[in-house]
Amino acid sequence: ARSMISVYGNYTYNDAATCAAAGVSFKTQPKNTVSEKVTLSPNPCSAFVKINLPETNQEAVYRLFDILGKEYTVNFIASTVNSKIIDTHNLENGTYLIKIQGDKNEETLKLVILK
């Protein structure tokens, strides 16, 4: 198997044996972490968005930012729930970031608001 280099300097390997020979290792996410399968729905949204969390049994905090870094809301997600609804009706159209921090890791997701 061959490896190729892109114009960005990234290598692309065609099989696992080539990866191993090149010293490439893979990191996997541990089970039951905040970032296992966090999703936003609907996305894009207009008035509300729902954060869907895997069943992790851990507490989390979410923060909503615009793309310039202005923080709009901070809220707690209890370990006993696996979703949280955020009211977005008072936000302008645009791209926002939702940063979700759990006990051991964090995830940042892009949210688009279109009204």
Side-chain angles (χ1 to χ4, degrees):
R2 297 180 8 203
S3 66
M4 302 179 304
I5 189 165
S6 74
V7 293
Y8 302 106
N10 299 326
Y11 289 93
T12 303
Y13 295 99
N14 297 329
D15 61 46
T18 305
C19 290
V24 175
S25 62
F26 298 96
K27 292 184 179 179
T28 58
Q29 286 285 351
K31 297 261 184 209
N32 295 327
T33 62
V34 167
S35 62
E36 188 173 326
K37 290 181 185 175
V38 178
T39 60
L40 300 175
S41 62
N43 192 10
C45 72
S46 58
F48 296 93
V49 65
K50 182 178 179 183
I51 301 173
N52 301 297
L53 299 165
E55 294 182 27
T56 62
N57 296 322
Q58 69 172 290
E59 299 174 345
V61 173
Y62 75 84
R63 299 173 190 282
L64 176 66
F65 300 92
D66 66 16
I67 58 172
L68 299 176
K70 179 180 177 187
E71 187 173 279
Y72 287 89
T73 187
V74 177
N75 210 327
F76 176 76
I77 303 173
S79 62
T80 57
V81 299
N82 61 359
S83 67
K84 185 77 169 185
I85 295 177
I86 302 173
D87 182 356
T88 60
H89 80 275
N90 60 344
L91 297 174
E92 298 291 324
N93 285 349
T95 302
Y96 295 81
L97 299 174
I98 297 180
K99 184 176 188 177
I100 303 163
Q101 295 174 289
D103 295 334
K104 297 179 182 174
N105 57 23
E106 63 186 48
E107 178 84 11
T108 301
L109 303 169
K110 182 173 80 169
L111 171 66
V112 176
I113 297 179
L114 292 173
K115 298 179 182 181

PDB file of all heavy atoms in Angstrom, residues 59-78:
ATOM      1  N   GLU A  59     -22.500  15.141  35.154  1.00  0.00           N
ATOM      2  CA  GLU A  59     -22.970  16.511  35.047  1.00  0.00           C
ATOM      3  C   GLU A  59     -22.194  17.226  33.949  1.00  0.00           C
ATOM      4  O   GLU A  59     -21.064  16.863  33.633  1.00  0.00           O
ATOM      5  CB  GLU A  59     -22.779  17.228  36.376  1.00  0.00           C
ATOM      6  CG  GLU A  59     -23.561  16.589  37.490  1.00  0.00           C
ATOM      7  CD  GLU A  59     -23.266  17.194  38.852  1.00  0.00           C
ATOM      8  OE1 GLU A  59     -22.255  17.910  38.993  1.00  0.00           O
ATOM      9  OE2 GLU A  59     -24.047  16.944  39.763  1.00  0.00           O
ATOM     10  N   ALA A  60     -22.818  18.248  33.368  1.00  0.00           N
ATOM     11  CA  ALA A  60     -22.159  19.024  32.327  1.00  0.00           C
ATOM     12  C   ALA A  60     -22.614  20.476  32.426  1.00  0.00           C
ATOM     13  O   ALA A  60     -23.634  20.783  33.038  1.00  0.00           O
ATOM     14  CB  ALA A  60     -22.480  18.458  30.954  1.00  0.00           C
ATOM     15  N   VAL A  61     -21.831  21.345  31.830  1.00  0.00           N
ATOM     16  CA  VAL A  61     -22.167  22.761  31.720  1.00  0.00           C
ATOM     17  C   VAL A  61     -22.090  23.105  30.245  1.00  0.00           C
ATOM     18  O   VAL A  61     -21.173  22.676  29.547  1.00  0.00           O
ATOM     19  CB  VAL A  61     -21.172  23.631  32.516  1.00  0.00           C
ATOM     20  CG1 VAL A  61     -21.408  25.106  32.260  1.00  0.00           C
ATOM     21  CG2 VAL A  61     -21.258  23.323  33.999  1.00  0.00           C
ATOM     22  N   TYR A  62     -23.094  23.869  29.753  1.00  0.00           N
ATOM     23  CA  TYR A  62     -22.985  24.332  28.370  1.00  0.00           C
ATOM     24  C   TYR A  62     -22.895  25.850  28.360  1.00  0.00           C
ATOM     25  O   TYR A  62     -23.420  26.532  29.229  1.00  0.00           O
ATOM     26  CB  TYR A  62     -24.128  23.820  27.493  1.00  0.00           C
ATOM     27  CG  TYR A  62     -25.450  24.516  27.718  1.00  0.00           C
ATOM     28  CD1 TYR A  62     -25.747  25.723  27.081  1.00  0.00           C
ATOM     29  CD2 TYR A  62     -26.406  23.968  28.556  1.00  0.00           C
ATOM     30  CE1 TYR A  62     -26.954  26.357  27.286  1.00  0.00           C
ATOM     31  CE2 TYR A  62     -27.612  24.588  28.765  1.00  0.00           C
ATOM     32  CZ  TYR A  62     -27.889  25.786  28.127  1.00  0.00           C
ATOM     33  OH  TYR A  62     -29.080  26.417  28.344  1.00  0.00           O
ATOM     34  N   ARG A  63     -22.181  26.357  27.355  1.00  0.00           N
ATOM     35  CA  ARG A  63     -22.025  27.795  27.140  1.00  0.00           C
ATOM     36  C   ARG A  63     -22.341  28.080  25.679  1.00  0.00           C
ATOM     37  O   ARG A  63     -21.896  27.350  24.806  1.00  0.00           O
ATOM     38  CB  ARG A  63     -20.600  28.242  27.446  1.00  0.00           C
ATOM     39  CG  ARG A  63     -20.181  27.987  28.868  1.00  0.00           C
ATOM     40  CD  ARG A  63     -18.686  28.313  29.048  1.00  0.00           C
ATOM     41  NE  ARG A  63     -18.188  27.875  30.315  1.00  0.00           N
ATOM     42  CZ  ARG A  63     -18.371  28.502  31.483  1.00  0.00           C
ATOM     43  NH1 ARG A  63     -19.055  29.593  31.528  1.00  0.00           N
ATOM     44  NH2 ARG A  63     -17.879  28.021  32.593  1.00  0.00           N
ATOM     45  N   LEU A  64     -23.090  29.144  25.431  1.00  0.00           N
ATOM     46  CA  LEU A  64     -23.442  29.547  24.075  1.00  0.00           C
ATOM     47  C   LEU A  64     -22.696  30.834  23.739  1.00  0.00           C
ATOM     48  O   LEU A  64     -22.808  31.819  24.468  1.00  0.00           O
ATOM     49  CB  LEU A  64     -24.952  29.754  23.966  1.00  0.00           C
ATOM     50  CG  LEU A  64     -25.488  30.275  22.643  1.00  0.00           C
ATOM     51  CD1 LEU A  64     -25.286  29.252  21.540  1.00  0.00           C
ATOM     52  CD2 LEU A  64     -26.960  30.625  22.774  1.00  0.00           C
ATOM     53  N   PHE A  65     -21.915  30.804  22.656  1.00  0.00           N
ATOM     54  CA  PHE A  65     -21.105  31.943  22.212  1.00  0.00           C
ATOM     55  C   PHE A  65     -21.462  32.294  20.776  1.00  0.00           C
ATOM     56  O   PHE A  65     -21.833  31.417  19.998  1.00  0.00           O
ATOM     57  CB  PHE A  65     -19.610  31.577  22.179  1.00  0.00           C
ATOM     58  CG  PHE A  65     -19.025  31.166  23.484  1.00  0.00           C
ATOM     59  CD1 PHE A  65     -18.991  29.832  23.849  1.00  0.00           C
ATOM     60  CD2 PHE A  65     -18.465  32.110  24.325  1.00  0.00           C
ATOM     61  CE1 PHE A  65     -18.422  29.436  25.040  1.00  0.00           C
ATOM     62  CE2 PHE A  65     -17.896  31.717  25.525  1.00  0.00           C
ATOM     63  CZ  PHE A  65     -17.871  30.384  25.886  1.00  0.00           C
ATOM     64  N   ASP A  66     -21.245  33.573  20.415  1.00  0.00           N
ATOM     65  CA  ASP A  66     -21.262  33.893  18.989  1.00  0.00           C
ATOM     66  C   ASP A  66     -19.864  33.653  18.440  1.00  0.00           C
ATOM     67  O   ASP A  66     -18.943  33.313  19.190  1.00  0.00           O
ATOM     68  CB  ASP A  66     -21.777  35.314  18.721  1.00  0.00           C
ATOM     69  CG  ASP A  66     -20.884  36.423  19.249  1.00  0.00           C
ATOM     70  OD1 ASP A  66     -19.695  36.179  19.569  1.00  0.00           O
ATOM     71  OD2 ASP A  66     -21.373  37.567  19.345  1.00  0.00           O
ATOM     72  N   ILE A  67     -19.676  33.823  17.144  1.00  0.00           N
ATOM     73  CA  ILE A  67     -18.379  33.493  16.557  1.00  0.00           C
ATOM     74  C   ILE A  67     -17.284  34.491  16.934  1.00  0.00           C
ATOM     75  O   ILE A  67     -16.111  34.225  16.717  1.00  0.00           O
ATOM     76  CB  ILE A  67     -18.463  33.334  15.026  1.00  0.00           C
ATOM     77  CG1 ILE A  67     -18.986  34.598  14.364  1.00  0.00           C
ATOM     78  CG2 ILE A  67     -19.293  32.137  14.662  1.00  0.00           C
ATOM     79  CD1 ILE A  67     -18.893  34.560  12.857  1.00  0.00           C
ATOM     80  N   LEU A  68     -17.675  35.620  17.526  1.00  0.00           N
ATOM     81  CA  LEU A  68     -16.678  36.585  18.004  1.00  0.00           C
ATOM     82  C   LEU A  68     -16.270  36.317  19.448  1.00  0.00           C
ATOM     83  O   LEU A  68     -15.418  36.996  19.995  1.00  0.00           O
ATOM     84  CB  LEU A  68     -17.206  38.010  17.856  1.00  0.00           C
ATOM     85  CG  LEU A  68     -17.523  38.436  16.418  1.00  0.00           C
ATOM     86  CD1 LEU A  68     -18.143  39.829  16.400  1.00  0.00           C
ATOM     87  CD2 LEU A  68     -16.273  38.386  15.563  1.00  0.00           C
ATOM     88  N   GLY A  69     -16.910  35.342  20.081  1.00  0.00           N
ATOM     89  CA  GLY A  69     -16.552  34.965  21.441  1.00  0.00           C
ATOM     90  C   GLY A  69     -17.432  35.552  22.524  1.00  0.00           C
ATOM     91  O   GLY A  69     -17.201  35.311  23.704  1.00  0.00           O
ATOM     92  N   LYS A  70     -18.451  36.321  22.162  1.00  0.00           N
ATOM     93  CA  LYS A  70     -19.370  36.877  23.164  1.00  0.00           C
ATOM     94  C   LYS A  70     -20.230  35.750  23.725  1.00  0.00           C
ATOM     95  O   LYS A  70     -20.872  35.015  22.988  1.00  0.00           O
ATOM     96  CB  LYS A  70     -20.256  37.947  22.551  1.00  0.00           C
ATOM     97  CG  LYS A  70     -21.231  38.541  23.541  1.00  0.00           C
ATOM     98  CD  LYS A  70     -22.105  39.600  22.915  1.00  0.00           C
ATOM     99  CE  LYS A  70     -23.113  40.095  23.937  1.00  0.00           C
ATOM    100  NZ  LYS A  70     -24.080  41.010  23.327  1.00  0.00           N
ATOM    101  N   GLU A  71     -20.230  35.630  25.052  1.00  0.00           N
ATOM    102  CA  GLU A  71     -20.993  34.578  25.711  1.00  0.00           C
ATOM    103  C   GLU A  71     -22.418  35.051  25.966  1.00  0.00           C
ATOM    104  O   GLU A  71     -22.621  36.122  26.529  1.00  0.00           O
ATOM    105  CB  GLU A  71     -20.312  34.201  27.028  1.00  0.00           C
ATOM    106  CG  GLU A  71     -20.925  33.008  27.711  1.00  0.00           C
ATOM    107  CD  GLU A  71     -20.118  32.577  28.905  1.00  0.00           C
ATOM    108  OE1 GLU A  71     -19.119  31.876  28.724  1.00  0.00           O
ATOM    109  OE2 GLU A  71     -20.485  32.985  30.016  1.00  0.00           O
ATOM    110  N   TYR A  72     -23.396  34.248  25.550  1.00  0.00           N
ATOM    111  CA  TYR A  72     -24.800  34.608  25.712  1.00  0.00           C
ATOM    112  C   TYR A  72     -25.464  33.886  26.875  1.00  0.00           C
ATOM    113  O   TYR A  72     -26.348  34.434  27.509  1.00  0.00           O
ATOM    114  CB  TYR A  72     -25.582  34.321  24.426  1.00  0.00           C
ATOM    115  CG  TYR A  72     -25.268  35.309  23.349  1.00  0.00           C
ATOM    116  CD1 TYR A  72     -24.216  35.084  22.475  1.00  0.00           C
ATOM    117  CD2 TYR A  72     -25.987  36.481  23.220  1.00  0.00           C
ATOM    118  CE1 TYR A  72     -23.903  36.005  21.488  1.00  0.00           C
ATOM    119  CE2 TYR A  72     -25.684  37.401  22.232  1.00  0.00           C
ATOM    120  CZ  TYR A  72     -24.636  37.163  21.375  1.00  0.00           C
ATOM    121  OH  TYR A  72     -24.323  38.078  20.409  1.00  0.00           O
ATOM    122  N   THR A  73     -25.079  32.656  27.130  1.00  0.00           N
ATOM    123  CA  THR A  73     -25.701  31.920  28.226  1.00  0.00           C
ATOM    124  C   THR A  73     -24.770  30.835  28.745  1.00  0.00           C
ATOM    125  O   THR A  73     -23.941  30.312  28.011  1.00  0.00           O
ATOM    126  CB  THR A  73     -27.057  31.311  27.791  1.00  0.00           C
ATOM    127  OG1 THR A  73     -27.700  30.740  28.921  1.00  0.00           O
ATOM    128  CG2 THR A  73     -26.884  30.242  26.758  1.00  0.00           C
ATOM    129  N   VAL A  74     -24.914  30.550  30.025  1.00  0.00           N
ATOM    130  CA  VAL A  74     -24.226  29.446  30.688  1.00  0.00           C
ATOM    131  C   VAL A  74     -25.290  28.722  31.493  1.00  0.00           C
ATOM    132  O   VAL A  74     -26.096  29.357  32.177  1.00  0.00           O
ATOM    133  CB  VAL A  74     -23.121  29.949  31.643  1.00  0.00           C
ATOM    134  CG1 VAL A  74     -22.476  28.791  32.380  1.00  0.00           C
ATOM    135  CG2 VAL A  74     -22.094  30.771  30.918  1.00  0.00           C
ATOM    136  N   ASN A  75     -25.306  27.399  31.401  1.00  0.00           N
ATOM    137  CA  ASN A  75     -26.305  26.652  32.146  1.00  0.00           C
ATOM    138  C   ASN A  75     -25.784  25.275  32.487  1.00  0.00           C
ATOM    139  O   ASN A  75     -24.887  24.752  31.841  1.00  0.00           O
ATOM    140  CB  ASN A  75     -27.605  26.544  31.343  1.00  0.00           C
ATOM    141  CG  ASN A  75     -28.821  26.475  32.227  1.00  0.00           C
ATOM    142  OD1 ASN A  75     -28.768  25.934  33.318  1.00  0.00           O
ATOM    143  ND2 ASN A  75     -29.927  27.023  31.744  1.00  0.00           N
ATOM    144  N   PHE A  76     -26.374  24.676  33.476  1.00  0.00           N
ATOM    145  CA  PHE A  76     -25.987  23.387  34.035  1.00  0.00           C
ATOM    146  C   PHE A  76     -26.888  22.300  33.463  1.00  0.00           C
ATOM    147  O   PHE A  76     -28.086  22.515  33.281  1.00  0.00           O
ATOM    148  CB  PHE A  76     -26.125  23.476  35.557  1.00  0.00           C
ATOM    149  CG  PHE A  76     -25.861  22.211  36.282  1.00  0.00           C
ATOM    150  CD1 PHE A  76     -24.569  21.761  36.466  1.00  0.00           C
ATOM    151  CD2 PHE A  76     -26.899  21.461  36.792  1.00  0.00           C
ATOM    152  CE1 PHE A  76     -24.318  20.590  37.157  1.00  0.00           C
ATOM    153  CE2 PHE A  76     -26.657  20.291  37.476  1.00  0.00           C
ATOM    154  CZ  PHE A  76     -25.365  19.858  37.656  1.00  0.00           C
ATOM    155  N   ILE A  77     -26.325  21.150  33.185  1.00  0.00           N
ATOM    156  CA  ILE A  77     -27.099  19.982  32.772  1.00  0.00           C
ATOM    157  C   ILE A  77     -26.869  18.894  33.822  1.00  0.00           C
ATOM    158  O   ILE A  77     -25.745  18.444  34.020  1.00  0.00           O
ATOM    159  CB  ILE A  77     -26.674  19.471  31.381  1.00  0.00           C
ATOM    160  CG1 ILE A  77     -26.808  20.578  30.337  1.00  0.00           C
ATOM    161  CG2 ILE A  77     -27.507  18.248  30.990  1.00  0.00           C
ATOM    162  CD1 ILE A  77     -26.244  20.211  28.983  1.00  0.00           C
ATOM    163  N   ALA A  78     -27.936  18.501  34.494  1.00  0.00           N
ATOM    164  CA  ALA A  78     -27.839  17.497  35.558  1.00  0.00           C
ATOM    165  C   ALA A  78     -27.497  16.128  34.981  1.00  0.00           C
ATOM    166  O   ALA A  78     -27.772  15.826  33.824  1.00  0.00           O
ATOM    167  CB  ALA A  78     -29.160  17.414  36.322  1.00  0.00           C
TER     168      ALA A  78
END
